[in-house]
Amino acid sequence: MAKLHLFLAVLSLCSILSCPGAYSATFTLVNQCGYTVWPGLLSGAGTPPLPTTGFALQPGESNSVPVPPSWSGRLWGRTLCSTDATGRFTCVTGDCGSGTTECSGAGGVPPVTLAEFTLNGAGGMDFYDVSLVDGYNLPMLLAPRGGTGGNCTVTGCAAQINGGCPSELRVNRDGGGGEVVACKSACLALGDPRFCCSGAYATPAMCKPTSFSEYFKSSCPRAYSYAYDDGTSTFTCASADYVVTFCPTPTSSQKQGQLSASVSLVTNGSGKPSQFHALLAAVVAVGLWFI
């Protein structure tokens, strides 16, 4: 009987803490914005679901999500969210249409900055990127932690680019001439096959960078700027965990796609920085030199 109780206790602990073999990685999402961000998470077709598909992150907070083996999918940040008198939850940017903080299998409505993953893919490698192909709504940094193999490169878009967004691509908070809260892709804004890499432009040979995609690329050299921007925008690692930081904190102006930065410690909910968060600060600070 004692052995049975011990087995049940261990089984229960595994369900809470994720025993080895149950998950292949951990995503730690960190909010360094001066406002609340509501991350959304979407699993790819045929991929095991995550334990959550959306939640709130207050400024300075972090949250870790265990990820199943061979998972593929995407995550993003929703902003300017609220709940109306009927209890329906909506966001000005990145809304997934579920009416709740959980996205429940729905993706974010563009324009939105995306982190994309395929874990344990070809050759056992993780493939990851930050994409602006669907536009941009907030800065995001993606940093592998503890990985082996591949290049394990920090990537993302640390720049605040809404303010300089071309007028044709701007999304204003009030729908008029107010605050710019997101920047559309040219495909979304204009629908031209040249910008969408569709129709006669549906091959790498025919679909080339445009002045609009170059705006995103010049601001964020390692992020996807259009559909065939693979060569400079997809990265690999193996056996890594990943830290996704919203609004990594720059302290100086951008020059030639590089930022120098200092990153304040975020807390683990107790109000005190943990060893992990001290490591995170170092990872992000180093990573921003290369974005």
Side-chain angles (χ1 to χ4, degrees), residues 220-245:
C220 303
R222 291 192 177 179
Y224 260 91
S225 60
Y226 74 105
Y228 293 114
D229 195 14
D230 304 68
T232 60
S233 306
T234 299
F235 302 95
T236 60
C237 197
S239 303
D241 295 322
Y242 294 91
V243 179
V244 176
T245 304

Side-chain angles (χ1 to χ4, degrees), residues 32-288:
Q32 292 196 348
C33 303
Y35 48 85
T36 304
V37 174
W38 287 260
L41 303 97
L42 176 65
S43 298
T47 297
L50 298 176
T52 180
T53 59
F55 50 88
L57 273 183
Q58 300 299 324
E61 285 188 342
S62 66
N63 194 11
S64 294
V65 179
V67 182
S70 301
W71 184 83
S72 66
R74 54 178 51 183
L75 63 87
W76 65 99
R78 295 168 287 173
T79 66
L80 301 169
C81 303
S82 60
T83 302
D84 67 16
T86 69
R88 183 170 180 80
F89 176 84
T90 57
C91 302
V92 175
T93 77
D95 189 58
C96 54
S98 66
T100 69
T101 55
E102 294 274 351
C103 285
S104 303
V109 175
V112 65
T113 311
L114 291 173
E116 302 177 310
F117 298 88
T118 297
L119 303 185
N120 297 321
M125 302 299 295
D126 298 343
F127 296 81
Y128 61 94
D129 66 80
V130 169
S131 174
L132 307 181
V133 173
D134 288 340
Y136 167 101
N137 67 330
L138 81 172
M140 178 191 291
L141 188 74
L142 171 52
R145 188 165 56 90
T148 60
N151 47 37
C152 296
T153 300
V154 177
T155 187
C157 182
Q160 296 275 3
I161 64 176
N162 285 332
C165 181
S167 58
E168 302 95 322
L169 310 183
R170 292 178 182 174
V171 176
N172 300 95
R173 182 171 184 172
D174 60 3
E179 177 191 5
V180 180
V181 295
C183 191
K184 295 180 182 179
S185 68
C187 175
L188 178 65
L190 305 175
D192 191 310
R194 291 176 301 163
F195 305 135
C196 299
C197 294
S198 61
Y201 298 90
T203 65
M206 294 301 296
C207 193
K208 300 296 184 182
T210 67
S211 60
F212 293 115
S213 69
E214 290 289 359
Y215 170 72
F216 292 109
K217 198 66 175 178
S218 63
S219 299
C220 303
R222 291 192 177 179
Y224 260 91
S225 60
Y226 74 105
Y228 293 114
D229 195 14
D230 304 68
T232 60
S233 306
T234 299
F235 302 95
T236 60
C237 197
S239 303
D241 295 322
Y242 294 91
V243 179
V244 176
T245 304
F246 300 109
C247 303
T249 310
T251 59
S252 65
S253 61
Q254 187 173 2
K255 182 178 181 180
Q256 295 180 351
Q258 295 182 337
L259 291 170
S260 64
S262 64
V263 179
S264 59
L265 292 180
V266 294
T267 68
N268 57 12
S270 66
K272 297 179 179 180
S274 65
Q275 284 185 324
F276 163 74
H277 291 100
L279 174 62
L280 167 66
V283 168
V284 175
V286 171
L288 280 169

